[in-house]
Amino acid sequence: MPGPLTGIKVIEMGFWVAAPAAATLLADWGAEVIKVEPPDGDPFRAYFAWTVGQATQVVPQFELDNRGKRSIVLNLQTEQGREVMGRLLAGADVFVTNLRPRVLHRFSLDYETVRARFPRLVYCQISAYGPDGPERDRAAYDVGAFWARGGVAASVTVPGTHPPHQRGGMGDHMTGAIAAGAIAAALLARERTGRGQRVSVPLLRVGAYMMGWDLSMVLRLGTRIETTDRLHPRNPLMNCYQDRDGRWFWLIGLQSDRHWPDLCRAIGRPDLLTDPRFATARARAENAPELVAELDRVFGTRTLGEWAELFDRHGVWWAPVQTLNDLAADPVAEAAGTFVDVPGPEGPIRMVSGPVDFSETPWAAQGPAPELGQHTEEVLLELGYSWDDLERLKAQGVII
């Protein structure tokens, strides 16, 4: 099995996105991941039934966040199920979960209990508001803890408008990526000390970290952060504009004074360089509506293809505003490794790649998302259970 985490064994007991996404990255990187599910499965398997009332055979979101794993069904409501779970953890390097603390405690899978039994285990606990705080058991999803309470939604809401909807899994995927990196760091620490530890990743903190620039202004200077629309940007050279056909693009002239002359040359308006309203970064900020209106008029005279040629010729930094359909067909995204072909039973399945590559230990997608309980018998036989044991566990409702 390729990847830098070859030889690492991960037990995942996670629902929906954040914990499964973290475990999927570990699987992509070479770890063996066993997904432990209750008899009715991870509810993410029925995503479309839950959200739009229509069940389908294919749930691309679930496939993305669960590829490369083996699935077993285990009824942890039973003593025998908890015994099997203990045997799984005894041979594991990592445990990843996003179940709420009260549920973990009920199954004797809280950190203190697990640490006492398996001191070398890296225990990754993903939560909404932290595993030890006063709201450790509050339900949230990433829409609640990351997007709403984490300050992200308000920070992208223009005054006088309603907060925009978050696209699915945004905070969860950020959290999963951070958790995967933290797990790798904890595994490195274990190599040095021989001891495992808890890795805690709250969605709320990921939201706060993502908004770290603005939040730092609040903490250090007491600044009240206000969101502006595109007609009133602080820097009109870091703003979106439309071409003649209505296609959007973004100017990315962060260093306003550096990029202003190049832009004026590209658009054929050297007169703007001597216009006192726009002569300095401060002046452009103070007169932003007038400059945006002027640039809107100019950009509305050509197509984006024509502007792209002029921008590149004159060193203007820019990027197209792409739809996801555009992105899926973007050759630059293809060259950057944005997509991966995952081996499937009927041929390769095109999926979104993880965001990381390794030059010396390259990873490869191991396979599609497993069916519910697809590997229960296989995994339990590896643990030393016999076929007679499996029949007994099935009769007791421990496995299916």
Side-chain angles (χ1 to χ4, degrees):
M1 186 179 293
L5 293 183
T6 298
I8 295 297
K9 187 171 185 178
V10 179
I11 306 301
E12 175 216 306
M13 193 170 72
F15 286 166
W16 294 102
V17 184
T24 293
L25 286 175
L26 301 178
D28 278 350
W29 300 345
E32 174 192 355
V33 178
I34 297 173
K35 183 179 180 72
V36 179
E37 301 185 64
D40 54 354
D42 180 343
F44 197 16
R45 290 182 177 275
Y47 174 70
F48 290 125
W50 283 103
T51 56
V52 298
Q54 180 179 355
T56 65
Q57 291 293 324
V58 176
V59 180
Q61 298 92 331
F62 180 84
E63 293 178 334
L64 171 63
D65 293 318
N66 289 279
R67 65 175 177 239
K69 304 174 185 177
R70 293 193 289 174
S71 166
I72 73 167
V73 166
L74 204 55
N75 185 355
L76 295 177
Q77 304 283 356
T78 65
E79 181 179 349
Q80 297 91 335
R82 294 190 291 275
E83 178 186 337
V84 175
M85 188 68 178
R87 290 176 68 167
L88 282 169
L89 293 177
D93 299 286
V94 178
F95 177 54
V96 182
T97 186
N98 61 349
L99 273 66
R100 283 181 271 179
R102 60 179 173 81
V103 178
L104 294 170
H105 184 77
R106 184 193 314 155
F107 294 148
S108 298
L109 290 171
D110 56 281
Y111 176 60
E112 295 300 330
T113 300
V114 171
R115 180 180 65 171
R117 296 183 63 190
F118 312 111
R120 283 182 51 82
L121 188 71
V122 172
Y123 183 111
C124 179
Q125 189 168 6
I126 295 173
S127 62
Y129 302 118
D132 304 314
E135 297 193 13
R136 58 186 174 274
D137 287 313
R138 180 182 292 277
Y141 296 114
D142 66 338
V143 174
F146 165 88
W147 182 252
R149 198 164 182 176
V152 182
S155 297
V156 296
T157 302
V158 175
T161 66
H162 56 73
H165 279 284
Q166 178 196 297
R167 302 306 301 169
M170 287 172 58
D172 283 326
H173 280 165
M174 285 190 64
T175 301
I178 291 170
I183 289 166
L187 287 169
L188 176 61
R190 190 186 69 174
E191 289 299 304
R192 296 170 174 171
T193 67
R195 299 189 304 274
Q197 60 185 297
R198 181 173 70 174
V199 173
S200 172
V201 189
L203 284 156
L204 178 67
R205 283 179 58 179
V206 175
Y209 181 72
M210 194 180 87
M211 301 309 304
W213 280 18
D214 287 345
L215 189 54
S216 293
M217 293 286 289
V218 173
L219 294 173
R220 291 281 285 145
L221 303 176
T223 305
R224 184 173 183 84
I225 303 299
E226 296 181 355
T227 303
T228 59
D229 60 28
R230 66 170 297 274
L231 300 177
H232 301 83
R234 295 179 181 87
N235 176 5
L237 275 64
M238 283 287 288
N239 198 26
C240 54
Y241 297 92
Q242 282 182 301
D243 76 347
R244 185 179 67 193
D245 299 327
R247 288 195 62 188
W248 288 98
F249 60 93
W250 221 286
L251 293 181
I252 48 177
L254 178 61
Q255 296 171 277
S256 183
D257 285 335
R258 171 187 175 185
H259 293 286
W260 179 234
D262 294 335
L263 179 62
C264 290
R265 282 192 294 271
I267 65 176
R269 292 294 304 276
D271 59 295
L272 295 178
L273 289 171
T274 57
D275 189 319
R277 297 173 300 166
F278 313 136
T280 66
R282 182 170 181 175
R284 289 189 290 276
E286 292 174 347
N287 297 284
E290 291 89 341
L291 181 52
V292 170
E294 187 64 38
L295 292 176
D296 279 342
R297 285 190 289 272
V298 172
F299 291 135
T301 63
R302 298 176 185 266
T303 67
L304 182 55
E306 292 171 319
W307 285 124
E309 182 180 347
L310 289 167
F311 290 162
D312 290 346
R313 186 190 308 166
H314 292 280
V316 175
W317 297 10
W318 71 283
V321 175
Q322 298 201 128
T323 67
L324 294 179
N325 298 83
D326 295 331
L327 179 60
D330 188 341
V332 175
E334 180 73 35
T338 306
F339 313 107
V340 61
D341 290 324
V342 178
E346 299 178 1
I349 304 169
R350 192 70 159 165
M351 289 192 187
V352 179
S353 173
V356 175
D357 285 322
F358 303 91
S359 65
E360 301 303 319
T361 53
W363 65 274
Q366 300 305 301
E371 297 179 5
L372 176 61
Q374 179 180 344
H375 304 95
T376 300
E377 293 178 346
E378 176 183 302
V379 170
L380 266 61
L381 289 170
E382 292 172 0
L383 289 176
Y385 289 92
S386 66
W387 284 107
D388 289 341
D389 293 331
L390 267 55
E391 291 299 324
R392 175 175 50 81
L393 292 173
K394 287 181 182 179
Q396 294 171 336
V398 178
I399 62 175
I400 58 174

